[in-house]
């Protein structure tokens, strides 16, 4: 078992580092790193540095080479027992970037050098206190062969460059902002650059550079435009300006995560940079804008103000996700992004929160920090900050963030410091609110409603509870903001006056639940209203509000909160699906629910609605979300119920779906604005329903759309519909797509993912064939995710095949990746951790695979933690 690290053990580092000078003599399999740093003691203790997989070539203290007796080195640390109160340290290490398949530290991707230091990759470059509260000023010199590596980049500003007489050249970069080592970055390679500029509101001009391989130059316009939008938005929304003279983004094709916010030199997974209408879908465009924004926003929420320790990860991530969500909402101007965020949270974060790896937004312990870049820390963390904003209101919240940024600029702080700033600007006591950071699990709220006709009063009684999670048997009540409105029979919102208040205060209120049970009585209520609660999904909870089908249908057409309007439809769909599952379980005959079908038709025909919202409304709840409502998850039944509904809705509304598909055909120039995307989304949703029915005529429409190849959104929609419905044309379609796109790695990833997510018999065999094909590459995380990850996390019916073959397949890959890339191995493993949710036979099969992985020789810390906690 790996060691556990506890938040309660935090102690400040006993030294301060004034600055560090790094020299890299870059060679693929033997790079020499010289680190010269100036130190000052702050408190007593030995000098202990982190370091892994390093060959120590020299160690000098104040210019004197240390003897072996002066220090000790083990696999993880270098300790010097005696050091003066102020000294200079010089360390030379040799590393092997070409052999680095874990993609942490310095590695080679596509022939170029790049780094990934968050969370603890810097220790694979040199010996250093690899913790975020040790901040210093970096000057970095890169030396490399000029012909192979013409571009040499690091953080900050370029201060020197030149040629040497041995065919090598050098560049020196200086970053004036003290930073933790996880924000260090370098890139050396053969890259082309597109350049633009941005003038900040105080009038400074910032050079913007995007580095890609030369053949990708035509796919950079959207990323550059997104960056400029993000810079302008952060000035406007949060008063944050950029601080260096240059902002660089480099796209690399081998990357463990989405992107990284290194100071002044972001490194991106190429999938979040490169886009052209031919190669990227609308969803890709939106994701690129969001990730570019996210990394840019980190410059303040993460870099200028950073984390004291990794337990505080959500301090930067939760807040920055909220910021990128707000940015995306502002760019699209619709409720669609909010709906998509909530879908993600409910389908996956709720699962995490209910499983063996559940942890609070601010965990109290970990074994491997890489395992904590989770949906809980990111997405639930964003919900927590969003709730603060809901409680304080936008103006006070902005005052709070201003105070936080000014008070802590240049510091490494905690989530408590963030909440304290909110308390200080508002005068509110948020001590109970902090439980959101401390307690894991998804709270559940039940609602009892009572209308008293004689009194004209309406009482809502809310009760909260939260299931136990690992290490937390009993939970204290959460401070929950519940946005609420009431509607009269005509669909008009009531003015809300609570008993004891002199006058009504608006048509929407934030009810603050802080106890296990609380009642709210509204007065002057003339007839029994329909409640709309948790509007905009104002808290990450499960709300059990038992509205009848008629009330849900009413809210679907009358609620003035777009999110809740959508939500009412989802509730109805969920209910219909759960009933179908019951029918299937009792061997009954399923039938299409007439009311639901009528509501579907009304929404499809509603000319007043934004097409994107219609598409959202007509998208049935995800299988993973439906699973949340079953005591024992039956992936087969869930899938059959959902398919039944899709197919029968298709039959029932064939004409309307076809009309809509035809009506929304867009022959004009391709645009990527929200309106055009919404149209494509609805149009392709219709196509999906139609193809599901499986007749020749609609299949030929899909083939036509595929062949026309107007843009990747339409192509992918047609191809997915054909492949996932098992259409006879699917092989031909896949072959044509492969022939056209096999040279484009990001597009080929899509081709892999479509096949891996086909909910059909034979998919696993096909996935295995694909894994054996020359296009598959275990060392490329995007490719592994697109095949193995898609199959096991996005194809529940095939992954959970009753014979356990899906589980064994995943485990085989986890075993191989454990040695190559532990981070990816451990992430892929997630679906197996959910074994307790399934029937006894599946539980046994899943556990067997976990146990098999658990006894691997040389089990990585990443995988060991996940397996150990899942089997506990
Ligand atoms: N801080 C980045 C995410 C990130 C985290 C870890 C990584 O490597 C282990 C890479 C990137 C972000 O939030 O965008
Ligand atoms: Zn982030």
């Amino acid at each position: 078992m790996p060691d556990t690290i506890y938040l309660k053990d935090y102690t400040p580092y006993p030294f301060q580092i004034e600055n560090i000078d790094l020299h890299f003599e870059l060679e693929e399999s033997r790079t020499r790193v010289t680190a010269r740093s100036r130190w000052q003691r702050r408190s007593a203790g030995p000098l202990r540095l982190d370091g892994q997989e390093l060959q120590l070539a020299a160690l000098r203290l104040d210019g004197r080479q240390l003897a072996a007796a002066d220090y000790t080195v083990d696999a993880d640390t270098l300790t010097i027992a005696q050091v003066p109160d102020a000294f200079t340290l010089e360390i030379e290490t040799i590393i092997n970037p070409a052999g680095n398949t874990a993609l942490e530290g310095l590695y080679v991707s596509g022939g170029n050098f790049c780094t990934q230091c968050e969370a603890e990759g810097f220790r694979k470059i040199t010996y250093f206190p690899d913790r975020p509260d040790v901040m210093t000023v970096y000057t970095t010199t890169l030396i490399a062969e000029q012909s192979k590596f013409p571009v040499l980049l690091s953080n900050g500003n370029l201060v020197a460059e030149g040629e040497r007489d041995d065919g090598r050249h050098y560049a020196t970069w200086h970053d004036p902002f003290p930073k933790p080592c996880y924000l260090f970055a370098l890139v050396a390679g053969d890259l082309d650059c597109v350049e633009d500029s941005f003038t900040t509101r105080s009038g400074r001009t910032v050079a913007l550079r995007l580095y890609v391989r030369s053949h990708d130059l035509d796919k950079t316009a959207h990323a550059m435009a997104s960056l400029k939008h993000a810079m302008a938005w952060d000035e406007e929304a949060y008063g944050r300006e950029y601080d260096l003279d240059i902002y660089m983004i480099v796209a690399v094709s081998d990357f463990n995560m989405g992107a990284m916010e290194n100071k002044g030199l972001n490194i991106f997974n190429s999938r979040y940079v490169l886009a052209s209408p031919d190669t990227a879908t609308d969803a890709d465009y939106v994701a690129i804008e969001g990730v570019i924004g996210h990394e840019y926003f980190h410059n303040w929420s993460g870099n200028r103000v950073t984390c004291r320790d990794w337990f505080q990860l959500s301090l930067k991530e939760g807040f920055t996700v909220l910021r990128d969500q707000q940015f995306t909402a502002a760019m699209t101007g619709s409720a669609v992004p909010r709906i998509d965020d909530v879908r993600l949270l409910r389908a996956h974060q709720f699962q995490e929160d209910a499983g063996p790896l559940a942890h609070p937004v601010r965990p109290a312990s970990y074994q491997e920090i890489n395992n904590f870049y989770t949906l809980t820390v990111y997405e639930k963390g964003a919900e927590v900050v969003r709730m603060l904003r809901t409680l304080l209101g936008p103006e006070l919240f902005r005052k709070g963030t201003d105070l936080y940024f000014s008070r802590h600029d240049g510091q490494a702080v905690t989530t408590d410091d963030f909440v304290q700033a909110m308390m200080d600007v508002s005068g509110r006591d948020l001590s109970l609110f902090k439980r959101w950071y401390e307690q894991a699990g998804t709270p559940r709220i039940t609602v009892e409603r009572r209308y008293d006709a004689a009194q004209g009063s309406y009482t809502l009684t809310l009760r909260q509870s939260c299931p136990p999670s690992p290490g937390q048997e009993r939970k204290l009540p959460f401070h929950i903001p519940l946005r609420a409105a009431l509607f009269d029979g005509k669909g008009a919102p009531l003015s809300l006056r609570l008993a004891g208040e002199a006058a009504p205060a608006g048509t929407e209120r934030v009810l603050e639940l802080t106890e296990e049970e609380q009642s709210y009585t509204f007065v002057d209520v003339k007839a029994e209203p329909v409640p709309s609660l948790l509007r905009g999904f104002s808290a990450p909870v499960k709300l059990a509000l038992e509205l009848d089908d008629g009330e849900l249908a009413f809210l679907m057409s009358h609620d003035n909160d777009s999110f809740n309007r959508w939500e009412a439809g989802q509730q109805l769909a969920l209910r219909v699906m759960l009933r179908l599952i019951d029918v299937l379980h009792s061997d009954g005959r399923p039938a299409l629910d007439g009311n639901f079908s009528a509501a579907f038709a009304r929404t499809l025909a509603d000319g007043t609605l934004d097409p994107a919202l219609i598409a959202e409304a007509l998208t049935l709840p995800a299988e993973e979300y439906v699973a949340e409502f079953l005591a024992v998850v039956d992936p087969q039944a869930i899938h059959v119920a959902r398919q039944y509904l899709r197919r029968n809705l298709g039959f029932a509304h064939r004409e309307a779906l076809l009309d809509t598909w035809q009506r929304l055909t867009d022959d004009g120039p391709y645009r990527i604005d929200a309106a055009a995307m919404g149209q494509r989304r609805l149009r392709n949703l219709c196509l999906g329903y139609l193809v599901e029915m499986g007749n020749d005529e609609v299949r030929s429409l899909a083939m036509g759309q595929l062949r026309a190849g107007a843009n990747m959104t339409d192509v992918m929609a047609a191809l997915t519909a054909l492949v996932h419905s098992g259409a006879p044309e699917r092989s031909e379609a896949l072959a044509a797509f492969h022939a056209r796109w096999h040279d484009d790695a990001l597009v080929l990833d899509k081709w892999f993912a479509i096949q891996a997510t086909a909910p059909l018999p034979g998919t696993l065999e096909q996935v295995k064939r694909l894994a054996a094909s020359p296009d598959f590459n275990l060392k490329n995380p995007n490719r592994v995710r697109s095949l193995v990850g898609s199959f096991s996390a996005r194809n529940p019916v095939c992954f959970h095949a009753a014979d356990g073959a899906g589980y064994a397949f995943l485990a085989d890959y986890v075993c191989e990746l454990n040695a190559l890339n532990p981070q990816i191995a451990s992430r892929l493993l997630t679906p197996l951790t959910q074994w307790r949710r399934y029937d006894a036979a599946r539980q046994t099969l899943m556990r067997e695979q976990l146990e098999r992985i658990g006894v691997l020789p040389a089990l990585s810390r990443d995988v060991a933690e996940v397996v150990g906690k899942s089997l506990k």
Side-chain angles (χ1 to χ4, degrees):
M1 268 293 252
D3 291 342
T4 298
I5 299 159
Y6 295 94
L7 166 61
K8 64 175 168 40
D9 292 343
Y10 173 82
T11 48
Y13 194 66
F15 296 89
Q16 185 180 338
I17 307 175
E18 274 166 35
N19 53 54
I20 185 166
D21 244 312
L22 290 165
H23 277 249
F24 289 84
E25 291 163 64
L26 294 163
E27 272 172 44
E28 281 97 334
S29 41
R30 190 182 165 84
T31 287
R32 179 180 297 268
V33 185
T34 308
R36 191 186 150 88
S37 48
R38 184 71 205 153
W39 295 66
Q40 218 109 49
R41 181 184 288 285
R42 275 178 167 165
S43 60
L47 178 69
R48 177 165 298 133
L49 309 176
D50 302 297
Q52 282 172 357
E53 294 163 39
L54 301 172
Q55 185 187 326
L56 182 60
L59 179 59
R60 288 181 285 273
L61 194 116
D62 287 331
R64 178 177 65 88
Q65 174 70 39
L66 291 186
D70 298 334
Y71 63 92
T72 55
V73 190
D74 64 22
D76 302 305
T77 49
L78 166 74
T79 308
I80 308 176
Q82 300 288 336
V83 291
D85 288 347
F87 57 95
T88 300
L89 194 65
E90 214 172 292
I91 307 174
E92 282 178 36
T93 47
I94 311 277
I95 54 180
N96 175 8
N100 181 352
T101 57
L103 314 184
E104 292 174 335
L106 179 66
Y107 63 94
V108 178
S109 169
N112 299 325
F113 289 98
C114 66
T115 52
Q116 173 52 42
C117 292
E118 188 178 6
E120 299 180 332
F122 195 71
R123 63 185 64 188
K124 294 181 165 185
I125 292 176
T126 184
Y127 288 101
F128 194 79
D130 193 354
R131 42 187 283 171
D133 60 344
V134 174
M135 298 162 83
T136 191
V137 173
Y138 287 69
T139 305
T140 305
T141 300
L142 294 81
I143 305 156
E145 203 180 314
Q146 181 150 24
S147 57
K148 277 170 87 175
F149 308 105
V151 172
L152 303 175
L153 311 174
S154 189
N155 316 89
N157 302 311
L158 181 67
V159 291
E161 62 184 329
E163 286 174 18
R164 306 202 328 181
D165 45 21
D166 56 358
R168 300 204 286 172
H169 68 147
Y170 69 91
T172 300
W173 294 80
H174 176 75
D175 178 5
F177 292 95
K179 64 171 175 285
C181 65
Y182 82 86
L183 291 173
F184 170 80
L186 74 76
V187 169
D190 190 1
L191 296 163
D192 271 1
C193 161
V194 276
E195 184 152 2
D196 205 326
S197 71
F198 180 83
T199 304
T200 69
R201 65 176 177 182
S202 66
R204 280 188 320 102
T205 303
V206 180
L208 310 178
R209 295 204 186 125
L210 237 156
Y211 290 89
V212 297
R213 287 174 310 174
S214 59
H215 62 264
D216 288 326
L217 273 175
D218 58 339
K219 303 195 193 84
T220 54
H222 178 63
M224 185 62 91
S226 300
L227 176 59
K228 293 201 274 183
H229 292 152
M231 294 178 86
W233 182 85
D234 211 18
E235 292 186 348
E236 175 70 29
Y238 281 90
R240 301 292 112 200
E241 252 189 51
Y242 187 62
D243 47 14
L244 287 164
D245 300 333
I246 176 167
Y247 192 89
M248 297 175 281
I249 292 178
V250 180
V252 303
S253 37
D254 303 280
F255 200 75
N256 282 345
M257 308 275 272
M260 182 62 212
E261 70 264 24
N262 316 302
K263 183 78 188 190
L265 178 58
N266 289 184
I267 296 181
F268 269 61
N269 185 326
S270 53
R271 68 175 292 196
Y272 293 113
V273 175
L274 304 177
S276 68
D278 280 356
T279 59
T281 62
D282 291 344
D284 294 330
Y285 273 86
V286 173
I288 288 169
E289 186 178 64
V291 177
I292 295 255
H294 181 97
E295 306 311 328
Y296 175 72
F297 303 143
H298 268 316
N299 189 54
W300 274 96
S301 49
N303 301 4
R304 290 286 288 255
V305 182
T306 195
C307 302
R308 188 193 72 173
D309 52 70
W310 290 122
F311 298 102
Q312 319 298 329
L313 182 56
S314 197
L315 173 76
K316 73 176 177 83
E317 295 306 345
F319 184 24
T320 304
V321 171
L322 175 74
R323 280 152 57 66
D324 82 53
Q325 290 177 350
Q326 291 177 302
F327 170 58
T328 301
M331 293 300 110
T332 48
S334 90
V336 168
R338 182 68 185 140
I339 291 172
D340 289 341
D341 292 339
V342 175
R343 267 193 216 279
L344 172 73
L345 194 82
R346 282 172 165 170
H348 298 287
Q349 195 279 326
F350 280 16
Q351 245 182 38
E352 185 169 280
D353 233 353
L357 284 115
H359 53 275
V361 168
R362 188 194 63 196
S365 68
Y366 62 77
Q367 292 167 11
E368 170 52 64
I369 187 56
N370 284 332
N371 286 330
F372 285 77
Y373 287 79
T374 58
L375 289 157
T376 300
V377 166
Y378 275 67
E379 310 301 320
K380 186 177 180 179
E383 295 300 322
V384 169
V385 182
R386 185 184 288 267
M387 286 191 284
L388 284 170
R389 185 171 187 270
T390 303
L391 288 169
L392 265 59
E395 287 82 20
L396 273 179
F397 178 76
R398 168 64 197 273
K399 281 210 170 87
T401 59
D402 283 353
L403 176 62
Y404 167 76
F405 287 127
S406 64
R407 182 185 272 174
H408 298 296
D409 190 8
Q411 297 177 0
V413 302
T414 64
T415 57
D416 283 340
D417 293 318
F418 186 81
V419 177
Q420 189 61 49
M422 297 296 157
M423 291 209 255
D424 291 347
V425 292
S426 65
R428 295 197 49 161
D429 178 4
L430 297 168
S431 44
L432 290 189
F433 185 84
K434 288 191 192 171
R435 290 177 186 158
W436 281 110
Y437 287 99
E438 295 156 8
Q439 300 186 137
T442 308
R444 180 183 145 90
I445 301 179
T446 60
V447 185
E448 202 179 288
R449 340 176 234 163
R450 200 163 46 81
Y451 179 62
D452 184 331
Q455 300 288 326
S457 71
Y458 185 69
T459 303
L460 292 172
T461 301
L462 307 176
R463 293 188 187 84
Q464 60 163 307
S465 62
C466 181
S469 48
Q472 295 183 330
E473 265 319 294
R474 290 187 55 78
K475 308 287 167 79
L476 295 165
F478 291 84
H479 184 168
I480 301 172
L482 205 79
R483 285 175 54 204
L486 302 176
F487 291 94
D488 70 14
K490 295 203 190 72
L494 303 185
S495 291
L496 300 178
R497 177 152 84 95
L498 284 163
E501 288 179 346
T507 54
E508 185 184 86
R509 302 288 290 258
V510 179
L511 307 178
E512 293 191 28
L513 190 56
T514 53
E515 292 160 31
E516 243 162 66
E517 176 178 327
Q518 263 161 288
S519 290
Y520 303 85
T521 298
F522 297 93
V523 294
D524 306 330
V525 182
K526 308 235 161 18
E528 174 148 18
V530 179
S532 164
L533 304 182
L534 199 69
R535 292 157 72 80
F537 199 69
S538 62
V541 301
K542 292 183 181 174
L543 177 73
L545 169 62
E546 298 299 322
L547 297 173
D548 63 36
D549 290 7
E551 288 173 315
L552 287 176
F554 174 87
L555 289 175
M556 274 175 80
S557 33
H558 296 296
D559 202 324
N560 56 1
D561 180 79
S562 314
F563 177 86
N564 261 23
R565 195 164 167 163
W566 167 79
E567 171 66 2
Q570 294 290 297
Q571 294 279 337
L572 197 57
L574 176 67
R575 192 170 287 175
V576 167
M577 283 169 72
L578 291 172
R579 283 182 203 142
L580 275 171
I581 291 169
D582 274 346
V583 170
L584 292 168
H585 279 157
S586 55
D587 288 330
R589 262 177 63 101
L592 181 61
D593 182 292
N595 286 329
F596 180 65
S597 180
F600 184 98
R602 272 198 307 278
T603 306
L604 184 56
D606 190 337
T608 68
L609 275 180
D610 171 2
L613 281 174
I614 299 181
E616 288 285 5
L618 302 185
T619 303
L620 299 176
E623 294 179 18
E624 292 87 344
Y625 182 54
V626 179
E628 285 286 308
F629 295 84
L630 298 179
V632 177
V633 179
D634 181 347
Q636 181 71 25
I638 297 174
H639 178 69
V640 171
R642 195 169 187 275
Q643 289 307 98
Y644 173 88
L645 208 52
R646 277 175 60 76
R647 192 160 301 160
N648 284 280
L649 287 167
F651 279 119
H653 306 293
R654 188 177 183 283
E655 295 312 315
L657 288 164
L658 208 50
D659 278 357
T660 309
W661 182 81
Q662 265 147 2
R663 181 167 52 81
L664 295 179
T665 302
D666 180 3
D667 300 324
Y670 180 77
R671 291 175 307 137
I672 53 153
D673 53 71
M677 285 198 254
Q679 290 207 4
R680 282 192 287 272
R681 187 151 171 176
L682 179 54
R683 181 166 185 267
N684 286 321
L685 175 111
C686 293
L687 185 70
Y689 273 103
L690 290 165
V691 172
E692 193 76 49
M693 295 184 300
N695 69 39
D696 296 354
E697 188 192 340
V698 283
R699 290 205 317 272
S700 72
L701 293 181
M703 281 303 279
Q705 179 167 320
L706 187 63
R707 289 205 188 96
N711 56 72
M712 187 49 80
T713 303
D714 288 349
V715 166
M716 279 293 287
L719 185 63
T720 305
L722 290 164
V723 173
H724 286 197
S725 65
E729 300 86 346
R730 67 184 187 278
S731 308
E732 178 199 335
L734 283 166
F737 189 93
H738 185 271
R740 169 76 183 82
W741 293 112
H742 65 273
D743 282 340
D744 187 314
L746 294 174
V747 182
L748 200 58
D749 286 339
K750 298 179 192 302
W751 182 82
F752 274 93
I754 284 190
Q755 297 179 75
T757 50
L760 301 170
T763 289
L764 178 58
E765 286 61 39
Q766 175 63 2
V767 167
K768 287 182 178 169
R769 276 192 290 279
L770 290 171
S773 79
D775 288 328
F776 187 66
N777 173 7
L778 208 50
K779 291 194 179 151
N780 177 255
N782 285 356
R783 191 54 51 83
V784 170
R785 278 187 282 257
S786 71
L787 186 66
V788 187
S790 298
F791 174 76
S792 40
R794 290 172 46 215
N795 191 347
V797 69
C798 292
F799 175 66
H800 291 283
D803 63 359
Y807 307 148
F809 169 79
L810 173 59
D812 288 347
Y813 280 91
V814 171
C815 292
E816 278 200 63
L817 284 158
N818 171 65
L820 281 177
N821 187 331
Q823 260 187 59
I824 299 295
S826 142
R827 265 173 198 280
L828 277 185
L829 188 49
T830 311
L832 284 175
T833 65
Q834 295 286 326
W835 60 272
R836 282 187 183 79
R837 308 274 292 112
Y838 296 86
D839 58 80
R842 286 191 173 90
Q843 287 199 5
T844 307
L845 293 164
M846 292 171 90
R847 252 195 355 248
E848 270 170 21
Q849 297 303 329
L850 284 168
E851 282 159 3
R852 188 183 134 213
I853 297 166
V855 298
L856 271 185
L859 195 61
S860 63
R861 207 168 18 169
D862 310 57
V863 175
E865 178 174 33
V866 174
V867 171
K869 289 183 175 172
S870 330
L871 288 174
K872 216 161 45 213

